[in-house]
Amino acid sequence: MLIIDAHSHVHDPLADHIALLDEAGVDKTIVFMTRPHPERAGNLTELREEMDLLTQALAGGGDLGRETARRELDAAIAAYPDRIIGFASVPLDPPDADAIVDRDVVGRGLRGIGELTPPPDRAALIEPVLRAATDHDGLPVVVHGAAPTTAADLRTLTALARRYPRVPLVVSQLGGAHWMDAIELVRDTPNMYLELSTASIVFAVRLAIAEIPERTLFGSDAPYGDPVIARITVERATRSPHVRELVLGATAQQLLS
């Protein structure tokens, strides 16, 4: 069984991430570009500085550090091509989304788009990206699901997913505090998927898998989460060996094929 962590970010140093994957028995991981690096912090002051960068990014911080993040992702893929599956974030609501996706995603041999982080209550900004993903054979698109994503954003994402049914649209982090809404919306929208990292309670993971067994994805959100803990949570929440295999990697593998 191939185990795929469907949500992680570039680590510094990269070898620490690979060691975590080895410990968790994870074969491959989808890795997103990242501006903050909380794993670098050695004390609370340094962590606050990194988390301030995260707050800016989640608030729609434009191109802050994008080129550096792109180079880090390219270096990670080059170092571990058999372990790391690259996804690239792209600017939201660009006038030339199709050209950007063609150059920065497809042209670099990456496998999907994400993690997109529209500002709160502005999830509609991703529509040009979904249109471009449709034009590129339905590339999977991952959108940040935890705060500051709102319940209204989840409804907007659902409406957009129904408008672009060829695009697999993944809501990450189980929709954050709005996990019950996320489960219901994803369940009723065939081209939507729910990634399970950073769930606040195990029951949320169990219910998501029970409701959407074929469209839930194991993820850790490393370095914010831990692949070992995330895998154990999925295994504890899943009784069926077949469903466990789907969640831990088979569904992700299908999305990437």
Side-chain angles (χ1 to χ4, degrees):
M1 179 174 66
L2 186 69
I3 308 297
I4 300 175
D5 182 343
H7 187 135
S8 66
H9 300 269
V10 176
H11 279 47
D12 181 24
L14 184 59
D16 287 356
H17 190 189
I18 300 302
L20 281 173
L21 299 178
D22 290 343
E23 186 180 1
V26 172
D27 300 296
K28 297 177 181 287
T29 181
I30 292 173
V31 175
F32 305 124
M33 297 161 48
T34 186
R35 303 169 211 181
H37 282 282
E39 72 280 7
R40 291 174 179 165
N43 55 54
L44 186 58
T45 298
E46 293 174 356
L47 181 61
R48 285 188 186 279
E49 292 173 357
E50 297 293 341
M51 296 307 285
D52 283 345
L53 289 175
L54 177 63
T55 299
Q56 292 174 45
L58 294 178
D63 289 333
L64 175 67
R66 186 182 296 276
E67 186 54 39
T68 298
R70 183 180 290 116
R71 288 196 299 269
E72 289 179 346
L73 178 61
D74 288 344
I77 296 169
Y80 295 95
D82 295 332
R83 305 294 298 276
I84 291 178
I85 302 163
F87 274 43
S89 180
V90 298
L92 298 175
D93 197 22
D96 54 348
D98 198 73
I100 290 173
V101 169
D102 189 60
R103 182 191 68 218
D104 293 345
V105 183
V106 177
R108 291 166 58 213
L110 303 180
R111 306 292 293 279
I113 301 168
E115 179 186 19
L116 302 181
T117 56
D121 292 323
R122 299 186 67 192
L125 288 174
I126 76 163
E127 183 166 11
V129 179
L130 295 180
R131 189 180 304 120
T134 298
D135 293 340
H136 288 83
D137 297 323
L139 280 171
V141 175
V142 179
V143 182
H144 182 82
T149 299
T150 65
D153 284 324
L154 294 176
R155 292 191 293 272
T156 298
L157 291 173
T158 302
L160 289 172
R162 293 169 180 169
R163 197 173 301 162
Y164 298 93
R166 290 182 55 207
V167 177
L169 181 58
V170 181
V171 175
S172 68
Q173 297 132 340
L174 225 168
H178 309 292
W179 60 270
M180 285 190 284
D181 292 331
I183 292 171
E184 185 175 42
L185 291 167
V186 170
R187 181 196 64 197
D188 297 338
T189 311
N191 60 314
M192 290 186 78
Y193 294 75
L194 194 57
E195 184 269 313
L196 302 170
S197 65
T198 64
S200 56
I201 54 176
V202 175
F203 183 75
V205 176
R206 182 180 297 118
L207 184 59
I209 293 171
E211 291 284 334
I212 326 166
E214 297 181 347
R215 287 184 285 119
T216 41
L217 303 166
F218 154 62
S220 68
D221 201 6
Y224 302 95
D226 186 306
V228 173
I229 295 171
R231 179 173 178 176
I232 290 171
T233 300
V234 168
E235 290 176 338
R236 291 283 292 175
T238 313
R239 293 183 178 178
S240 163
H242 172 66
V243 172
R244 188 180 303 122
E245 182 174 339
L246 290 175
V247 177
L248 287 176
T251 298
Q253 188 175 17
Q254 183 180 17
L255 275 180
L256 295 166
S257 62

